[in-house]
Amino acid sequence: FFQLFGRSLVLSIINIVVFLLIIAAFIFWMGIEPRILRYVSIIVLYFAVMWWLCQPFLFPVLVDNPKMPLQQVIKIVIRLAFSQPFYALMITFTTTLINLLGLILFGPLLLVVPAFNALLSTQAYWTMTGVEIPDLIDPVAYANQQDKLISE
């Protein structure tokens, strides 16, 4: 847990700062007086959607590549969301609905939601990158595959 705590905290702070910059840019462009310049805020909305599509994959990429610099992690996540936008939209929409359901039911379900989101995001990341999901293959074959990777 503490091995990636600092890096995940920095990634969360970067994520929040980017979200606040997107909101500030939207407010700025909506406040411009010539109406034609307000249409620039549509571009900001595209950035907001891209930010939203990247959310489920930030931490699985960080956990899968613990030695990678954070800038590279963010680049991989953006490239992943751009390469398969409909799959990323489906996973992002699903995790958003799960989060909203957890907030509405607020009780004990709220304790299960982060773990379920982590599982869903990690499985989706493995599916998008073509990595075999360990839970879906034969345990003996997976152990042999891991032994080959370690010996190489």
Side-chain angles (χ1 to χ4, degrees), residues 99-121:
N99 287 334
L100 290 175
L101 182 68
L103 287 174
I104 290 170
L105 297 177
F106 200 69
L109 187 63
L110 192 60
L111 299 173
V112 177
V113 168
F116 186 68
N117 275 340
L119 286 172
L120 179 67
S121 298

Side-chain angles (χ1 to χ4, degrees), residues 66-105:
K67 303 288 185 207
M68 189 177 290
L70 289 179
Q71 299 92 335
Q72 190 68 22
V73 168
I74 293 169
K75 285 180 186 178
I76 288 174
V77 170
I78 291 172
R79 191 175 304 131
L80 203 62
F82 264 124
S83 68
Q84 299 179 16
F86 294 114
Y87 187 75
L89 179 67
M90 180 186 67
I91 295 300
T92 306
F93 190 69
T94 303
T95 56
T96 302
L97 284 177
I98 291 169
N99 287 334
L100 290 175
L101 182 68
L103 287 174
I104 290 170
L105 297 177

Side-chain angles (χ1 to χ4, degrees), residues 2-17:
F2 290 108
Q3 180 183 5
L4 294 174
F5 180 73
R7 291 172 48 85
S8 62
L9 183 64
V10 171
L11 186 62
S12 297
I13 291 171
I14 291 171
N15 195 16
I16 291 169
V17 167

